[in-house]
Amino acid sequence: MTEGSSPVADVDAVVVGAGFAGLYLLHRLRQKGFTARGFESGGDVGGTWYWNRYPGCRCDIESVQYSYQFSDELQQEWTWSERYASQPELLAYIEHVADRFDLRRDITFETRVASATFDDDTHLWTIVTTDREGEEETVRSRFFLLGSGVLSTTSIPDFPNRDDFEGDTFHTGRWPHEPVDFSGKRVGVIGTGSSGIQSIPLLAEQAEHLYVFQRTPNYVVPARNRPLTADEVAELKADYAGFRARQWERPSAFLFPFNPDSALSVSDQERFEQFERQWDIGGLPFLGAFGDLLLNAESNRLVTEYWQAKVREVVDDPAIAELLIPKGDIFGGKRLCAGTNYLETYNRSDVTLVDVSGAAEGAAGIEYFTSTGLQAAGQHYELDAVVFATGFDAMTGSVVAMDITGPDGTTIKQQWSNGADTYLGMAVHGFPNLFNTQGPGGPGVFVTMVTGIEHQSDWIVDCMSYMRDSGYTRLEATAEAQENWVNVVDEAAAQSLRPKSDSWYTGANIPGKHQKFMPYIGGFPAYRQHCQASADNDYAGFNLS
Ligand code: N01
């Protein structure tokens, strides 16, 4: 497809990232006869599951759903051992996929994309990469496809004197590959999001004493992980396709018992029993107890009340229980966390919960590091190691980290500084021949990740095939289509209580970041219809030339 262009493209597509998205894009491109090169900063495939190796790290979406469905042979030959796969099992799965489809041969590891510049004469991207030794390579490509990760750019707040600390420090999202032994150590964990909540119980088991520095408590439900039985696996494999079809019809592409009724439509006793049933199922399906928990403030108040009673039941010390209860936040506004023995961990005598919210009168948050520990809430804590479970510059961080420049000289970082507007969550006006996956304006973080990735990747590669067949070499989302899509995203967000919470969905976790609820929350079926409507109408919303 690159004949006639000057200079000639080296490949049809450059793909950034070798996680679930990058790997599937490479596979799909190859299937459709496109040449491609992948670049990955890590030393091997895996993305999120390559970097996040902290104790307790596992997926909180069921493994039989959080997996590829493009190949029935793959579905049949791989057997998940647990309801929620652990990080090692997920990584083994991704490595198996890379081997099975021979994907590594197109990927250059330990290499970052530093910059990408679109040339409007040739309709090509010039992409410059840098490896670990600082060696640069330049690749010309018709398309620039991003699978760089939604939660891959780690964030460590700029705590005063952080570098003075002489103990070991870790970020959950950049965990060492060799085992870390915390035995006999005084360990501090900063952060109580999903990563903190998964790792804290295991760190507590190892450490001599664990100090949890909590700024904001989080809603956490019991994960209830367990081994999958041979019968369950056999039943699934007998009709995996039917299971997937049902999965695709759910707003989150995640199948779980879901009751569409309002929490207000039943008696107090019936509501309690329904909450109990979903509580026993465990994990994120707890939100399926009633259809309006995230739509109606009163229903949300009722689920919050139920949850608070559970915390007071589990946590022995009433003062600690109160500290673990969010004040005035929407239940499920931030991403709901699924934990194993999380609340119970605070009953241990070797675990101390330190309130660094600064909420109590005269109390301070985290003040500063010293060479031997941390000064927080007016007290000095002597520590041998600190674990930062402080999250990520989500959704946009990995994209704006690359110097991506459109034909008018504007970088995507500049363009997104006032809001990460996109068309269909995949394209950006001003940046031709670029597609992002799972990014802002897409449903990514609200649908089962791997399913959403496959859908977007199929759509992107189909669009590239259409361009090839029609002789087009340039595609750009129109300003009007993008504006209309942003309205669709905003209207969907307005239906939900979720945007009322400060979270990484809104950018509130990163100081100075433009704040706006970024994902499309209108559901996977509706999203697919929007994408299909564009494709069916010769890729409506794009200028093609
Ligand atoms: O990050 P987070 P995460 N001083 O942003 C605290 C996915 N994931 O890595 O709320 C003190 O949620 C911050 O406090 P606050 C999943 O989608 C999935 O845990 O800002 N504390 C918060 O407690 C998840 O949602 C899985 O007040 C500070 C924590 O750090 C997403 O990744 C597992 C601070 C950050 O929580 C991110 O989760 C793990 C400061 N200055 C992750 N700054 C599963 O599949 C931040 N914090 C299970």
Side-chain angles (χ1 to χ4, degrees):
M1 76 175 299
T2 52
E3 279 173 18
S5 310
S6 177
V8 174
D10 300 308
V11 282
D12 296 317
V14 159
V15 176
V16 187
F20 273 110
L23 288 183
Y24 183 60
L25 276 166
L26 286 174
H27 173 68
R28 195 76 186 130
L29 287 163
R30 207 186 276 169
Q31 268 188 332
K32 292 277 181 170
F34 290 104
T35 55
R37 284 195 59 190
F39 292 96
E40 162 62 54
S41 62
D44 202 347
V45 297
T48 288
W49 306 106
Y50 174 87
W51 294 109
N52 287 263
R53 294 165 183 254
Y54 57 84
C57 181
R58 65 176 68 243
C59 186
D60 61 5
I61 302 293
E62 294 176 3
S63 34
V64 297
Q65 306 196 50
Y66 188 91
S67 47
Y68 289 120
Q69 55 195 280
F70 66 87
S71 158
D72 195 45
E73 293 80 15
L74 174 65
Q75 292 192 133
Q76 294 299 329
E77 75 199 9
W78 186 267
T79 298
W80 294 103
S81 68
E82 293 179 275
R83 181 180 182 194
Y84 301 113
S86 64
Q87 176 271 335
E89 189 170 12
L90 278 156
L91 190 57
Y93 171 74
I94 299 173
E95 287 171 352
H96 169 75
V97 172
D99 289 341
R100 193 186 195 289
F101 297 97
D102 190 19
L103 298 172
R104 281 192 183 85
R105 73 175 148 96
D106 291 330
I107 306 169
T108 307
F109 292 101
E110 298 195 330
T111 302
R112 291 187 165 279
V113 170
S115 68
T117 309
F118 190 77
D119 176 355
D120 231 348
D121 293 328
T122 58
H123 298 173
L124 296 179
W125 284 97
T126 299
I127 291 149
V128 179
T129 68
T130 320
D131 71 12
R132 275 180 85 178
E133 274 74 49
E135 284 291 311
E136 288 193 351
E137 184 187 353
T138 300
V139 182
R140 282 188 191 79
S141 174
R142 176 72 71 216
F143 292 95
F144 187 40
L145 310 183
L146 310 184
S148 49
V150 179
L151 293 153
S152 53
T153 304
T154 55
S155 162
I156 299 185
D158 203 7
F159 296 116
N161 306 344
R162 206 177 76 201
D163 293 341
D164 288 358
F165 181 60
E166 288 171 3
D168 296 327
T169 57
F170 307 88
H171 188 287
T172 49
R174 285 288 178 278
W175 202 261
H177 286 215
E178 55 283 356
V180 183
D181 185 6
F182 290 106
S183 315
K185 298 210 166 140
R186 298 158 301 178
V187 180
V189 179
I190 302 176
T192 50
S194 296
S195 306
I197 281 170
Q198 285 190 328
S199 56
I200 283 165
L202 288 143
L203 293 171
E205 277 174 21
Q206 265 196 23
E208 178 189 295
H209 198 101
L210 186 74
Y211 297 90
V212 178
F213 298 93
Q214 173 192 270
R215 186 166 69 179
T216 315
N218 240 313
Y219 292 106
V220 53
V221 294
R224 303 207 196 287
N225 186 36
R226 58 175 176 76
L228 290 173
T229 66
D231 285 351
E232 279 176 308
V233 171
E235 194 188 340
L236 173 81
K237 287 189 177 179
D239 183 25
Y240 223 138
F243 178 82
R244 294 298 196 181
R246 293 194 295 283
Q247 194 191 338
W248 273 54
E249 291 316 310
R250 298 295 308 142
S252 55
F254 180 27
L255 268 177
F256 56 83
F258 176 77
N259 167 25
D261 299 341
S262 166
L264 308 179
S265 67
V266 291
S267 69
D268 289 354
Q269 182 59 25
E270 284 167 327
R271 187 183 314 112
F272 176 77
E273 286 167 9
Q274 171 62 2
F275 281 145
E276 287 282 280
R277 276 191 290 277
Q278 299 284 124
W279 187 263
D280 288 344
I281 293 167
L284 306 187
F286 179 67
L287 281 173
F290 292 98
D292 62 350
L293 296 181
L294 280 157
L295 301 175
N296 182 307
E298 180 57 11
S299 299
N300 197 275
R301 188 187 67 73
L302 290 167
V303 71
T304 305
E305 249 179 41
Y306 170 86
W307 180 84
Q308 290 177 348
K310 288 286 185 201
V311 178
R312 293 180 183 123
E313 209 175 284
V314 172
V315 180
D316 297 340
D317 181 335
I320 295 179
E322 290 318 302
L323 269 185
L324 289 165
I325 292 176
K327 308 289 176 286
D329 204 2
I330 299 294
F331 185 92
K334 285 188 171 137
R335 191 174 184 281
L336 186 61
C337 300
T340 300
N341 292 328
Y342 176 68
L343 295 170
E344 292 82 348
T345 296
Y346 294 99
N347 294 334
R348 297 175 65 118
S349 57
D350 54 4
V351 173
T352 303
L353 180 62
V354 184
D355 176 12
V356 292
S357 65
E361 209 180 318
I366 290 178
E367 295 165 66
Y368 52 85
F369 275 88
T370 65
S371 60
T372 59
L374 186 56
Q375 177 75 20
Q379 196 178 321
H380 189 263
Y381 293 88
E382 293 282 321
L383 300 171
D384 301 304
V386 172
V387 173
F388 294 101
T390 43
F392 302 87
D393 182 356
M395 304 203 72
T396 57
S398 67
V399 177
V400 301
M402 293 176 277
D403 203 5
I404 301 173
T405 308
D408 74 353
T410 305
T411 65
I412 208 159
K413 184 172 182 179
Q414 290 165 335
Q415 185 153 321
W416 279 4
S417 61
N418 291 318
D421 294 351
T422 67
Y423 177 47
L424 295 175
M426 293 185 276
V428 186
H429 175 65
F431 296 85
N433 296 4
L434 174 147
F435 290 111
N436 191 17
T437 54
Q438 303 300 81
V445 294
F446 283 104
V447 304
T448 298
M449 271 285 168
V450 190
T451 308
I453 281 168
E454 282 181 277
H455 167 258
Q456 283 193 332
S457 303
D458 286 346
W459 190 94
I460 289 165
V461 179
D462 285 350
C463 176
M464 289 171 57
S465 302
Y466 170 86
M467 288 176 67
R468 176 174 59 189
D469 296 346
S470 314
Y472 293 124
T473 53
R474 187 188 193 279
L475 153 147
E476 182 183 356
T478 67
E480 191 193 0
Q482 181 161 294
E483 202 180 314
N484 290 340
W485 180 248
V486 169
N487 289 335
V488 171
V489 173
D490 292 350
E491 279 163 23
Q495 309 295 313
S496 172
L497 298 172
R498 276 193 161 108
K500 294 188 191 302
S501 289
D502 284 344
S503 67
W504 57 259
Y505 298 139
T506 65
N509 66 323
I510 300 295
K513 185 167 176 173
H514 179 84
Q515 288 195 35
K516 185 181 171 189
F517 190 79
M518 292 180 274
Y520 170 68
I521 202 172
F524 189 51
Y527 177 70
R528 293 202 324 270
Q529 277 174 19
H530 284 291
C531 294
Q532 194 60 46
S534 168
D536 287 347
N537 291 287
D538 297 320
Y539 291 90
F542 291 96
N543 273 330
L544 289 142
S545 54

